[in-house]
Short mmCIF file of all heavy atoms in Angstrom, two decimals:
data_model
loop_
_atom_site.label_atom_id
_atom_site.label_comp_id
_atom_site.label_asym_id
_atom_site.label_seq_id
_atom_site.Cartn_x
_atom_site.Cartn_y
_atom_site.Cartn_z
N PHE A 59 -81.41 -142.94 -36.08
CA PHE A 59 -82.55 -142.36 -35.40
C PHE A 59 -82.10 -141.07 -34.78
O PHE A 59 -81.08 -141.00 -34.13
CB PHE A 59 -83.11 -143.36 -34.46
CG PHE A 59 -83.62 -144.61 -34.99
CD1 PHE A 59 -82.73 -145.72 -34.93
CD2 PHE A 59 -84.89 -144.73 -35.48
CE1 PHE A 59 -83.13 -146.95 -35.44
CE2 PHE A 59 -85.22 -146.01 -36.10
CZ PHE A 59 -84.43 -147.03 -36.07
N THR A 60 -83.07 -140.14 -34.77
CA THR A 60 -82.84 -138.81 -33.98
C THR A 60 -82.98 -139.25 -32.52
O THR A 60 -83.62 -140.16 -32.18
CB THR A 60 -83.87 -137.82 -34.36
OG1 THR A 60 -83.47 -136.58 -33.77
CG2 THR A 60 -85.25 -138.11 -33.99
N ASP A 61 -82.26 -138.59 -31.64
CA ASP A 61 -82.11 -138.88 -30.24
C ASP A 61 -83.49 -139.04 -29.58
O ASP A 61 -83.73 -139.79 -28.68
CB ASP A 61 -81.31 -137.84 -29.47
CG ASP A 61 -79.83 -138.02 -29.81
OD1 ASP A 61 -79.36 -139.13 -30.33
OD2 ASP A 61 -79.07 -137.10 -29.58
N SER A 62 -84.46 -138.20 -29.91
CA SER A 62 -85.76 -138.14 -29.24
C SER A 62 -86.59 -139.36 -29.43
O SER A 62 -87.61 -139.59 -28.70
CB SER A 62 -86.53 -136.89 -29.68
OG SER A 62 -86.84 -137.01 -31.05
N VAL A 63 -86.33 -140.23 -30.43
CA VAL A 63 -87.09 -141.40 -30.71
C VAL A 63 -86.30 -142.67 -30.59
O VAL A 63 -86.89 -143.77 -30.64
CB VAL A 63 -87.65 -141.32 -32.11
CG1 VAL A 63 -88.42 -140.15 -32.35
CG2 VAL A 63 -86.51 -141.56 -33.16
N LYS A 64 -84.97 -142.60 -30.21
CA LYS A 64 -84.14 -143.83 -30.03
C LYS A 64 -84.81 -144.71 -28.97
O LYS A 64 -85.20 -144.24 -27.84
CB LYS A 64 -82.80 -143.38 -29.62
CG LYS A 64 -81.92 -142.97 -30.83
CD LYS A 64 -80.42 -142.71 -30.34
CE LYS A 64 -79.53 -142.14 -31.56
NZ LYS A 64 -78.21 -141.99 -31.13
N GLY A 65 -84.91 -146.01 -29.29
CA GLY A 65 -85.47 -147.05 -28.23
C GLY A 65 -86.97 -147.11 -28.41
O GLY A 65 -87.54 -147.96 -27.83
N ARG A 66 -87.58 -146.23 -29.16
CA ARG A 66 -89.05 -146.21 -29.29
C ARG A 66 -89.42 -146.51 -30.71
O ARG A 66 -90.47 -147.11 -30.95
CB ARG A 66 -89.66 -144.89 -28.79
CG ARG A 66 -89.39 -144.61 -27.38
CD ARG A 66 -90.20 -143.39 -26.89
NE ARG A 66 -89.78 -142.18 -27.61
CZ ARG A 66 -90.71 -141.42 -28.37
NH1 ARG A 66 -92.03 -141.85 -28.49
NH2 ARG A 66 -90.35 -140.33 -29.02
N PHE A 67 -88.73 -146.07 -31.74
CA PHE A 67 -89.03 -146.19 -33.09
C PHE A 67 -88.10 -147.16 -33.80
O PHE A 67 -86.98 -147.28 -33.42
CB PHE A 67 -88.99 -144.76 -33.79
CG PHE A 67 -90.05 -143.85 -33.46
CD1 PHE A 67 -90.98 -143.98 -32.35
CD2 PHE A 67 -90.34 -142.74 -34.20
CE1 PHE A 67 -91.94 -143.15 -31.99
CE2 PHE A 67 -91.21 -141.70 -33.89
CZ PHE A 67 -92.06 -142.01 -32.81
N THR A 68 -88.63 -147.81 -34.85
CA THR A 68 -87.88 -148.72 -35.68
C THR A 68 -88.23 -148.42 -37.11
O THR A 68 -89.36 -148.40 -37.55
CB THR A 68 -88.19 -150.22 -35.33
OG1 THR A 68 -87.83 -150.44 -33.94
CG2 THR A 68 -87.33 -151.14 -36.18
N ILE A 69 -87.12 -148.36 -37.90
CA ILE A 69 -87.31 -148.27 -39.41
C ILE A 69 -86.87 -149.46 -40.14
O ILE A 69 -85.90 -150.15 -39.73
CB ILE A 69 -86.55 -146.94 -39.99
CG1 ILE A 69 -86.91 -146.72 -41.48
CG2 ILE A 69 -85.12 -147.15 -39.75
CD1 ILE A 69 -86.32 -145.46 -41.99
N SER A 70 -87.62 -149.87 -41.21
CA SER A 70 -87.43 -151.20 -41.87
C SER A 70 -87.94 -151.05 -43.31
O SER A 70 -88.72 -150.09 -43.54
CB SER A 70 -87.95 -152.32 -41.10
OG SER A 70 -89.35 -152.31 -41.06
N ARG A 71 -87.49 -151.96 -44.14
CA ARG A 71 -88.04 -152.09 -45.46
C ARG A 71 -88.25 -153.42 -45.94
O ARG A 71 -87.57 -154.32 -45.54
CB ARG A 71 -87.08 -151.31 -46.42
CG ARG A 71 -85.62 -151.91 -46.66
CD ARG A 71 -84.67 -151.04 -47.20
NE ARG A 71 -85.06 -150.30 -48.39
CZ ARG A 71 -84.37 -149.37 -48.93
NH1 ARG A 71 -83.15 -148.99 -48.38
NH2 ARG A 71 -84.84 -148.69 -49.93
N ASP A 72 -89.27 -153.56 -46.72
CA ASP A 72 -89.61 -154.89 -47.39
C ASP A 72 -89.33 -154.75 -48.85
O ASP A 72 -90.26 -154.19 -49.56
CB ASP A 72 -90.98 -155.25 -47.06
CG ASP A 72 -91.37 -156.70 -47.46
OD1 ASP A 72 -90.74 -157.14 -48.40
OD2 ASP A 72 -92.26 -157.31 -46.81
N ASN A 73 -88.23 -155.21 -49.42
CA ASN A 73 -87.94 -155.00 -50.77
C ASN A 73 -88.92 -155.81 -51.76
O ASN A 73 -89.20 -155.22 -52.90
CB ASN A 73 -86.47 -155.48 -51.07
CG ASN A 73 -85.50 -154.57 -50.37
OD1 ASN A 73 -85.66 -153.45 -50.24
ND2 ASN A 73 -84.35 -155.13 -50.00
N ALA A 74 -89.47 -156.82 -51.19
CA ALA A 74 -90.40 -157.59 -52.13
C ALA A 74 -91.66 -156.86 -52.38
O ALA A 74 -92.26 -156.93 -53.36
CB ALA A 74 -90.70 -158.97 -51.39
N LYS A 75 -92.02 -155.98 -51.37
CA LYS A 75 -93.32 -155.20 -51.48
C LYS A 75 -93.01 -153.76 -51.83
O LYS A 75 -93.97 -152.93 -51.89
CB LYS A 75 -94.11 -155.30 -50.22
CG LYS A 75 -94.57 -156.72 -49.74
CD LYS A 75 -95.34 -156.70 -48.54
CE LYS A 75 -95.93 -158.09 -48.14
NZ LYS A 75 -96.71 -158.01 -46.94
N ASN A 76 -91.71 -153.37 -51.99
CA ASN A 76 -91.39 -152.06 -52.25
C ASN A 76 -91.96 -151.13 -51.23
O ASN A 76 -92.55 -150.03 -51.59
CB ASN A 76 -91.68 -151.53 -53.71
CG ASN A 76 -90.96 -152.31 -54.73
OD1 ASN A 76 -89.74 -152.58 -54.48
ND2 ASN A 76 -91.51 -152.49 -55.81
#
Side-chain angles (χ1 to χ4, degrees):
F59 301 90
T60 191
D61 289 341
S62 63
V63 307
K64 284 184 177 179
R66 300 189 297 121
F67 290 11
T68 300
I69 186 172
S70 63
R71 67 198 312 173
D72 186 333
N73 292 329
K75 296 182 178 180
N76 290 327

